[in-house]
Amino acid sequence: MKKFVKPAGLALAFAIVSISFLACGKEKNDSLKLRNVGKYEQSMTKDAAAQMEKELGAFEITAEQRELAKENIAGYKVIDAGRGNPNWINTKARFAFTRFMNFALSECQRTLNNGDMAGHADKNGIGERFDKSMNPSDKTDAFRIKAIDYCVKNLNMNKDEIVYELLNGIIGDFYPSPSRCLKNTEVILNHYLESVLYNGNKLADQTLVLPTEGGSAAMCYIFHTLSHNKLLRPGDKIAIATPIFTPYLQIPSVNNYGLVSINGSSEDKNNWDISEKELEKLESKEIKAFFLVNPSNPASHALSDATLKRLEEVVKKNPNLIILTDDVYGTFVDSFETVYSRIPHNTILVYSFSKLYGATGWRIGLIATNKDNVMDELLSKLPKKDMDALNKEYSIVTTEPESMKFIDRVAADSRSIGLYHTSGLSTPSQIFMDLIALTNLVEGEKDPYIEQSNELVRQRYLTLMNELHLPADASNENARYYTLIDVNEVIKKNYDENFANWKIANKTDIQFLNDLAKKKGVVLMYGPGFDAQQGTVRISLANNNAEDYKELARRLFELLDEYHAEYSAE
Ligand SMILES: *Cc1c(COP(=O)(O)O)cnc(C)c1O
């Protein structure tokens, strides 16, 4: 972002922030909009432009396929396994949210009750009134009692304070304060992250949290602040573990960074781990940042323990490496451990509630960094000229800009610094995140909801693989939220090699996907668009029921049989 000038500069600042937003967010629309950012396109390297063209193509194709599928020749009901939006939701947190809203409203009416107008809730004695309003034999109330008990007993919170924070937050009658994250909310979210992502490591007390409008906003904010604060400069090399969620491939291109692809698909098809040869690349001090989705999207695999250990070694050789990990699928792997848990000093963690809790419309996610981290260290070592300029900018909002932490800069930058005092995620959204987190925390070791979600996608995955006659990958690292299928493997397994070669020579990947949509009403995603190898398709296991995957496989074979007839006729 350009130097902050007020007040005329404000519009400019917003414009620049919004450009970086275009690279994220909703898959299709925003990717397409990038086309119009002419200035950025011109300044891109040829490779980056070609890369982007490829990705835009992938999204345009999927959009086109959706249209084709609607009017498919067979007249089938559309099966769209392209999207990652889950077809389930969590009810416990939503029921609790509604009840807390009702209780909060009655509390507000205690201080002023005149027609449609009420006052602010009164903190005094609010915990006691909460207890009195509970019906312990009701399922939702039983959870609410447990949740508040957990906060008081396990997290050492004052009952009036936590109930008041939840109520006030839900009502939304105050600006978020502290603006980065509400006080008790930060503790709850930290314990949730510790519970689901750290595999037993205790980091809750040493981690800072910034709730954001989903994981995509988190990524945009982080990249913006890294660049604005000169921790990444144009031309700097960034390593990205590929294949990866397409919009993420675009962020570095838009910002003009040099891209180094770290191939996450090794020769062994069943092993999606990063090979030693690839990991070695990260040891070069030229690489300033390493960006990964873990468990990955589209391959849906978590890094192995051995790779995590190897990454710890990498960071010893490249101690200033900034690792950015998006762990939105972490809970879909048993005993998952995030890179942040192993390398807290170097890692920025992004998490989102979108997938597991069926909450994509809420836009709720977060950024977490360690209190002691390499970004803050690098900020303190910036060249004097850069530091002076940044200190001047942040002095609008703090008297000690030089000691302003990276994560607080992210919060400030998210409102173009000048409007820092109005930064922070909406309080009802923060409280909804608390309630979700508490559904997990009150369960202790095993969370039945998480187990249920894992079982759900596992059954879908097994059904699909069984129907396609492909070996199922039973490794613990397999998250099974998506699967990346090599169509040529399917052909080889179910027909023969000659037919597979004929298909490669006569039907492009796109043609195949178009035929599947147009003739059979099935929408899948184009693997190479994620930087995965030719011939692959991503099938989402999140948005259809098991029997739909059976039908999907049947239709796929129906199309392949038609291809086979063509091949035989030749
Ligand atoms: C779906 C997804 C997210 C979630 O993004 P939100 O903005 O929180 O909805 C984040 N990262 C990846 C890789 C995803 O696939």
Side-chain angles (χ1 to χ4, degrees):
M1 196 176 73
K2 294 286 179 312
K3 187 172 162 294
F4 186 79
V5 199
K6 63 175 181 179
L10 205 59
L12 174 69
F14 275 121
I16 291 166
V17 170
S18 70
I19 283 165
S20 62
F21 266 85
L22 290 178
C24 310
K26 284 183 247 92
E27 294 192 354
K28 184 191 127 214
N29 293 342
D30 291 354
S31 309
L32 290 177
K33 270 192 236 154
L34 267 172
R35 272 244 152 105
N36 303 326
V37 189
K39 186 177 114 200
Y40 278 74
E41 212 160 329
Q42 278 158 28
S43 62
M44 265 163 43
T45 63
K46 205 167 143 235
D47 280 356
Q51 178 71 38
M52 187 170 291
E53 192 55 45
K54 198 167 81 182
E55 287 142 26
L56 283 171
F59 283 106
E60 276 162 358
I61 291 152
T62 311
E64 194 182 311
Q65 282 160 3
R66 266 189 201 111
E67 290 307 309
L68 290 172
K70 272 187 212 157
E71 322 228 320
N72 69 82
I73 295 165
Y76 289 146
K77 182 172 155 277
V78 174
I79 299 178
D80 186 343
R83 310 205 58 170
N85 202 109
N87 69 347
W88 69 83
I89 64 159
N90 176 284
T91 55
K92 191 183 260 183
R94 285 173 167 92
F95 277 126
F97 187 86
T98 308
R99 288 280 171 85
F100 270 115
M101 174 67 94
N102 284 330
F103 178 57
L105 285 167
S106 66
E107 281 294 304
C108 289
Q109 286 177 328
R110 284 184 72 248
T111 62
L112 171 70
N113 189 1
N114 190 359
D116 289 339
M117 195 179 273
H120 290 312
D122 177 11
K123 186 160 136 192
N124 232 328
I126 203 167
E128 212 179 304
R129 291 194 295 281
F130 168 79
D131 285 344
K132 279 198 187 130
S133 73
M134 287 296 108
N135 171 11
S137 61
D138 174 272
K139 202 174 141 198
T140 301
D141 278 7
F143 163 61
R144 294 200 296 153
I145 295 167
K146 251 193 191 169
I148 298 296
D149 264 7
Y150 184 91
C151 291
V152 173
K153 294 194 182 118
N154 297 56
L155 305 178
N156 295 319
M157 291 175 188
N158 173 291
K159 190 168 196 164
D160 283 352
E161 266 186 33
I162 178 60
V163 174
Y164 184 68
E165 183 168 315
L166 294 178
L167 263 52
N168 245 331
I170 281 188
I171 291 290
D173 51 350
F174 291 98
Y175 280 102
S177 173
S179 60
R180 176 165 52 75
C181 186
L182 300 176
K183 185 173 153 235
N184 293 300
T185 295
E186 185 172 26
V187 177
I188 294 170
L189 295 179
N190 259 320
H191 282 267
Y192 173 78
L193 294 175
E194 184 174 281
S195 162
V196 298
L197 300 182
Y198 304 164
N199 196 25
N201 281 344
K202 299 288 175 206
L203 293 165
D205 295 340
Q206 43 172 292
T207 304
L208 302 173
V209 174
L210 166 60
T212 57
E213 300 84 348
S216 345
M219 283 298 173
C220 297
Y221 291 158
I222 291 166
F223 264 93
H224 173 72
T225 296
L226 285 171
S227 128
H228 175 223
N229 280 268
K230 314 286 180 203
L231 299 183
L232 291 179
R233 298 171 195 261
D236 272 356
K237 283 197 179 153
I238 298 185
I240 292 201
T242 56
I244 197 167
F245 183 46
T246 318
Y248 287 179
L249 276 170
Q250 299 167 336
I251 301 175
S253 324
V254 171
N255 286 295
N256 248 329
Y257 301 125
L259 265 186
V260 177
S261 190
I262 300 294
N263 193 349
S265 54
S266 69
E267 294 79 49
D268 175 1
K269 292 245 172 56
N270 285 325
N271 174 6
W272 283 100
D273 229 339
I274 305 172
S275 68
E276 171 57 28
K277 187 177 109 246
E278 297 294 296
L279 284 162
E280 243 171 47
K281 291 186 195 166
L282 298 172
E283 291 182 346
S284 157
K285 290 193 172 132
E286 275 202 327
I287 310 269
K288 304 290 181 201
F290 175 43
F291 183 10
L292 75 159
V293 175
N294 183 34
S296 54
N297 174 3
S300 213
H301 269 69
L303 297 183
S304 68
D305 186 61
T307 303
L308 289 175
K309 284 205 177 84
R310 186 63 185 81
L311 274 175
E312 291 176 56
E313 296 304 312
V314 163
V315 168
K316 282 181 194 151
K317 299 222 168 105
N318 186 6
N320 290 339
L321 183 69
I322 296 171
I323 302 175
L324 176 47
T325 187
D326 172 349
D327 294 357
V328 55
Y329 301 106
T331 57
F332 290 91
V333 166
D334 272 348
S335 310
F336 173 78
E337 186 167 356
T338 169
V339 175
Y340 173 72
S341 162
R342 292 294 181 91
I343 316 174
H345 184 71
N346 295 69
T347 306
I348 305 172
L349 169 65
V350 168
Y351 182 74
S352 162
F353 295 90
S354 282
K355 303 288 163 59
L356 175 59
Y357 299 97
T360 46
W362 270 91
R363 314 310 303 127
I364 42 176
L366 57 82
I367 300 168
T369 60
N370 203 256
K371 284 181 182 168
D372 174 10
N373 67 72
V374 73
M375 292 76 69
D376 290 337
E377 236 170 68
L378 291 171
L379 282 173
S380 72
K381 290 182 197 154
L382 281 176
K384 187 171 176 333
K385 186 171 134 274
D386 292 329
M387 203 190 290
D388 287 350
L390 286 164
N391 286 347
K392 199 166 158 212
E393 287 189 48
Y394 290 110
S395 69
I396 306 172
V397 292
T398 170
T399 50
E400 288 174 7
E402 59 284 350
S403 57
M404 190 175 192
K405 295 188 77 62
F406 174 77
I407 196 164
D408 291 316
R409 294 180 190 221
V410 176
D413 287 358
S414 77
R415 296 296 178 276
S416 301
I417 304 177
L419 298 175
Y420 185 28
H421 61 286
T422 66
S423 70
L425 185 67
S426 89
T427 61
S429 298
Q430 293 195 44
I431 303 309
F432 188 48
M433 285 163 88
D434 282 338
L435 295 176
I436 288 177
L438 284 162
T439 63
N440 169 266
L441 290 172
V442 299
E443 296 294 343
E445 284 280 292
K446 289 241 177 262
D447 179 342
Y449 180 80
I450 290 183
E451 301 206 334
Q452 200 185 344
S453 67
N454 291 359
E455 187 52 27
L456 191 70
V457 293
R458 200 176 76 90
Q459 284 310 329
R460 295 170 180 182
Y461 173 75
L462 290 177
T463 304
L464 178 72
M465 298 309 267
N466 188 43
E467 294 295 319
L468 293 176
H469 307 116
L470 291 178
D473 169 7
S475 69
N476 184 55
E477 286 83 16
N478 189 359
R480 304 177 183 87
Y481 194 92
Y482 306 102
T483 187
L484 206 51
I485 301 273
D486 184 342
V487 179
N488 300 320
E489 283 301 310
V490 176
I491 297 176
K492 276 186 215 160
K493 260 258 151 32
N494 294 279
Y495 301 82
D496 58 58
E497 184 116 20
N498 287 339
F499 176 43
N501 291 334
W502 177 90
K503 189 256 166 199
I504 292 171
N506 290 279
K507 309 278 177 188
T508 65
D509 290 350
I510 307 279
Q511 234 174 333
F512 167 73
L513 287 171
N514 278 346
D515 283 347
L516 201 54
K518 189 170 69 188
K519 299 184 173 167
K520 308 295 170 196
V522 172
V523 181
L524 305 179
M525 278 202 83
Y526 176 55
F530 297 91
D531 225 3
Q533 79 187 62
Q534 290 293 324
T536 55
V537 290
R538 187 190 81 171
I539 303 180
S540 166
L541 298 159
N543 59 354
N544 293 280
N545 298 327
E547 61 268 27
D548 299 323
Y549 291 99
K550 204 165 166 176
E551 171 66 9
L552 186 158
R554 193 194 65 75
R555 293 188 200 172
L556 190 117
F557 283 126
E558 218 175 65
L559 177 66
L560 291 178
D561 283 347
E562 288 170 22
Y563 281 2
H564 195 265
E566 257 183 73
Y567 155 73
S568 302
E570 279 177 21

